[in-house]
Amino acid sequence: MFEKAILSLIFLLLLVITYSVFIGTVDIRSHFFPLLQSTAQSCSAPLRVYMYDLPRRFHVGMLDHSSPDGLPVTSENLPRWPRSSGIKRQHSVEYWLMASLLYDGESEEREAVRVSDPDTAQAFFVPFFSSLSFNTHGHNMTDPDTEFDRQLQIEILEFLRNSKYWQKSGGRDHVIPMTHPNAFRFLRQQLNATILIVADFGRYPRSMSNLSKDVVAPYVHVVESFTDDNPPDPFVARKTLLFFQGNTIRKDEGKVRAKLAKILTGYDDVHYERSAPTTKSIKECKLHGHSQNILHHTVLASLFFSYMKRTEGMRSSKFCLHPAGDTPSSCRLFDAIVSHCVPVIVSDRIELPFEDEIDYSEFSVFFSIKEAGQPGYMIDQLRQIPKERWIEMWQHLKSISHYYEFQYPPKKEDAVNMVWRQSANSQLSAEVRSGLVIQTSQLGA
């Protein structure tokens, strides 16, 4: 009788833990990963990844329309990411991950390598550019091009369900990037078990995406990295106290931007600029009946000057404001990091990339939405930060900015390798979760 009671209690406990892990109320990595990470770091072997061979329309065909759909992608024929891609670049994590697996040259301490035999793989990469598909095939539900995005999602799901490796794990060891908030928007709920690469969890229910299984990746920065930031006195060289340039009309937590626009007026050393050049340029061109070609080049020119202005503004400022956008995170944070401008993060809920390895408090300042909304409070707090402390944060930014660089070929501890390292941790977490389910079912039997 007593033994049955103990077994029932253990069964109930495992059931609660398993359910909590799956819905994300318990982050299994915070409990198990100190051991898992030490084990992973002591083993120099990179994550073995099998990349599915998909037709080009699912990935690089959106960048290069000249090659046949069935032509395999190699390191030799991989299209380079276009420099004129504008804001599409910030969601291009999917491209850099795929490129890293195609790279067949020498590389320092790679965190992931491609294997040709799926039976030897530890993880499976699905090279569907879901963010680029959203950006390419129609933003509005009423746009006819949107149907092409939806059809690609249907085909991917059908392909995966027919894969014996997907069937074997239920997708728990499969990696799918979804860094745009609207990526895979039609059918994403059918990928609950998969390791998702996301920018944040703002548009995902907790039952679908959470830290217990997924990876938070940085946005790809759109400003150029500040590589020669070596003035005699950086504190004096950066004349502007606080800098912000961006759209002030946003949803959810992003509504704070409009409030900050009013609060931060009247300061000589604060630059807070509403900037939405693309939208303005499009409207003006349409108003004057310009052709699509003129419209395209006008938008590109507008974006170029906007990025140049943002680059100069961030490089000449001590602090760069990062309020929430439509979701808690945005590209602006990573633009600030590579510009060595101390980020001022305004949010009540934000998940940051690589938090288990990087302490953001060493180079960032945090305010709640309530604190930031108090007139004068945030500026007073920033002015009270001593010069010595700011220089420490600035120096720390310079030492960690390489973690946020997406590049090809990949380099040691760049953003690509950091994301793969986090994916390896998630793959280990998936094994633990799978073990819990097995133990629970055995006890129940």
Side-chain angles (χ1 to χ4, degrees), residues 1-11:
M1 185 74 176
F2 179 74
E3 290 179 353
K4 287 185 177 180
I6 292 295
L7 285 173
S8 298
L9 184 61
I10 293 173
F11 172 74

Side-chain angles (χ1 to χ4, degrees), residues 51 59-60 63 78-83 85 88-103 110 112 125 127 129 132 177 179 197 217-221 404-411 414-417 419-420:
M51 180 166 62
H59 38 74
V60 298
L63 299 171
L78 173 70
R80 296 298 178 249
W81 185 268
R83 293 184 61 85
S85 59
K88 291 181 181 179
R89 178 179 171 81
Q90 64 182 324
H91 302 296
S92 62
V93 174
E94 54 206 9
Y95 169 86
W96 303 104
L97 291 178
M98 181 182 185
S100 72
L101 294 177
L102 291 170
Y103 181 63
R110 297 175 67 176
F125 181 67
F129 290 1
L132 185 58
T179 54
I197 310 296
Y219 283 91
V220 181
H221 63 84
Y404 304 92
E405 296 291 351
F406 287 91
Q407 55 203 338
Y408 183 83
K411 295 182 180 180
D414 65 0
V416 175
N417 277 303
V419 170
W420 279 124

Side-chain angles (χ1 to χ4, degrees), residues 242 244 246-265 272-274 321-330 332 344-350 366-375 377-378:
L242 182 64
F244 173 85
N247 201 333
T248 58
I249 309 300
R250 283 290 181 250
K251 305 172 185 175
D252 300 324
E253 277 194 1
K255 292 177 181 177
V256 72
R257 292 189 182 190
K259 189 172 184 179
L260 289 171
K262 298 177 182 178
I263 291 174
L264 296 176
T265 57
Y272 196 96
E273 177 186 353
R274 181 186 183 279
L321 187 61
H322 174 66
D326 289 341
T327 60
S329 188
S330 79
R332 188 169 290 98
V344 176
I345 300 173
V346 177
S347 181
D348 292 335
R349 55 181 186 92
I350 187 170
F366 291 84
F367 292 98
S368 68
I369 291 178
K370 182 179 179 181
E371 290 171 334
Q374 298 175 25
Y377 178 79
M378 185 165 58

